[in-house]
Each structure stands twice: as C-alpha cells, then as structure tokens.
Amino acid sequence: GESVGLHLPTLSVQEGDNSIINCAYSNSASDYFIWYKQESGKGPQFIIDIRSNMDKRQGQRVTVLLNKTVKHLSLQIAATQPGDSAVYFCAERAGGFKTIFGAGTRLFVKA
Amino acid sequence: NAGVMQNPRHLVRRRGQEARLRCSPMKGHSHVYWYRQLPEEGLKFMVYLQKENIIDESGMPKERFSAEFPKEGPSILRIQQVVRGDSAAYFCASSPGDQPQHFGDGTRLSIL
C-alpha cells in the first residue's frame, strides 16, 4: 500500500547539535526517496535525494541513509542551526513520477 | 530563474462556488503535479500532468475536481461546487522529467 511514516513527529535539538530525522516506508518497490523541508507558509523545499542503488548520500551539512532491508531512511543534519527549524518530509517514488509523502517531523532548534 | 508560481496565494469561496487555482511551472519544466495539504499533515498527491495530458489522476476525487495543463498557459486545478471539506492548501510542483520536483508556495483555499 501507500505508506510513508515517521517515527518521531516532533524533534527538539540544541543549536549546534546534530539532528536525525527518521522515516519508515512500506512499499518495497520504491526506488527513489527524497527529503523536503517546509517552512511555515511556504512550499516544500528539496533537500536531498537518494536512489535505491545507494545506501548513503551526502550534501552540504545533510546526509541521507537508506536501509532497504528494514525499509528505513534517515536525514542527518550536522551542526543544526535555528534556520533549520521547519517540518521535514520524506517522500518516495515507486517508478513513474507519483510521489508519496510521509506525515512529517517538526524540528525545533533551541538557541 | 523564477520558481514555480501559484496564484492566488489565498482564495475564499462560498459553498457551491467554483475555485480555480493556477500554476506556472519553472521554465523548461514540462511535468506538473498537484498536491493537497491539510494543517499538520503531509502532502497528498492528486494529479500529475504533462503538456496537454493527464498522466496519473489517481489521487484526485472523481467528482467536482479537474485539472489541465494546456499547451500555452498555466496549469489549472478546478474545483466545482466547493464544500467546506475542500478547505486546504493546494501545492503545485514541476519538474523537467525524472528530477526532483520544485514546489510553489501554494494556494490557501478557504470555504465559507
């Protein structure tokens, strides 16, 4: 079925610490995963993506890990900053272009 | 490069009226997607279109909702005879193909 869910709906971290946001997916046919950041009143903003033939991908201050065995992916944010406060969504695609979004995790960064 | 442009940003309609939401994709993007988002929830896929064609409308209600992406002009999401339950934020995204989607800032639809 279509199900992309998150373990933690709210995450609060201290400025400068690392953040880890987790996501579980249920469709074993999904072959492409994306993380989006959404700030209040705005549309989702692409952060990083990963294809199923990889298990790790790094960007600027962000890393996505994919574990296909347990159908889990995570977003790691290094040295979290106040500007990182937002809702983070994982999303998946199983071929084609239809993208299924998870419920989201709200990240609070304490100064 | 202008991003995905949606208008209006806010739209208020009374029950029974029609709502038209517009989306201009990024330059060079031929794929358009529409999503609906309720407060504190994720985005729900509605429809995916390429120029003049609906590719996947599996997330769109069969009645009252329609979408188009004409050869010229923006993509339009049309909701006829709106009801209170249609109140939501509607987001449009575009992509040039098999690339990440870029989103607009949405249209907030309120039904009185």
Side-chain angles (χ1 to χ4, degrees):
Chain A
E2 299 177 348
S3 178
V4 179
L6 298 177
H7 297 306
L8 299 173
T10 304
L11 178 65
S12 183
V13 299
Q14 197 69 38
E15 181 179 0
D17 287 352
N18 296 335
S19 304
I20 299 176
I21 301 172
N22 296 301
C23 179
Y25 64 95
S26 60
N27 188 351
S28 56
S30 292
D31 58 1
Y32 179 57
F33 304 88
I34 316 106
W35 281 99
Y36 286 94
K37 171 186 180 183
Q38 187 177 26
E39 296 175 285
S40 182
K42 297 197 171 184
Q45 176 187 357
F46 171 83
I47 301 172
I48 192 168
D49 58 358
I50 188 168
R51 297 196 181 272
S52 58
N53 60 352
M54 303 172 68
D55 52 23
K56 180 179 180 179
R57 191 159 187 229
Q58 290 184 288
Q60 188 177 10
R61 282 202 307 119
V62 294
T63 301
V64 55
L65 299 177
L66 174 63
N67 186 330
K68 295 181 288 293
T69 302
V70 295
K71 295 200 281 266
H72 179 271
L73 75 161
S74 66
L75 177 70
Q76 300 179 3
I77 305 174
T80 313
Q81 302 168 0
D84 295 327
S85 293
V87 177
Y88 289 81
F89 294 98
C90 65
E92 63 176 317
R93 278 183 6 199
F97 296 93
K98 179 179 177 179
T99 303
I100 306 300
F101 279 74
T105 291
R106 185 177 299 279
L107 176 65
F108 289 105
V109 181
K110 296 177 286 187
Chain B
N1 265 343
V4 176
M5 303 300 293
Q6 290 189 248
N7 68 83
R9 289 297 311 276
H10 300 274
L11 182 61
V12 180
R13 285 287 178 265
R14 296 189 180 278
R15 281 178 294 170
Q17 292 183 321
E18 178 180 288
R20 280 182 178 245
L21 288 61
R22 294 175 183 76
C23 170
S24 296
M26 288 182 69
K27 188 176 181 180
H29 288 194
S30 58
H31 299 239
V32 165
Y33 316 80
W34 285 93
Y35 295 84
R36 168 190 161 107
Q37 185 178 37
L38 294 173
E40 302 297 308
E41 292 189 9
L43 281 75
K44 303 296 184 189
F45 169 83
M46 297 181 72
V47 61
Y48 157 48
L49 310 98
Q50 292 184 30
K51 276 293 185 181
E52 301 184 88
N53 294 304
I54 295 174
I55 307 301
D56 185 338
E57 56 181 347
S58 58
M60 200 153 70
K62 295 289 187 284
E63 297 180 354
R64 302 189 299 110
F65 285 72
S66 62
E68 62 178 21
F69 187 19
K71 187 176 180 181
E72 301 291 337
S75 175
I76 306 288
L77 178 67
R78 182 184 179 203
I79 310 173
Q80 296 178 288
Q81 300 173 347
V82 296
V83 300
R84 287 245 171 90
D86 297 333
S87 294
Y90 292 84
F91 288 95
C92 170
S94 72
S95 72
D98 187 22
Q99 299 289 331
Q101 297 168 24
H102 295 262
F103 283 81
D105 283 337
T107 293
R108 273 90 183 148
L109 176 63
S110 297
I111 308 302
L112 301 179

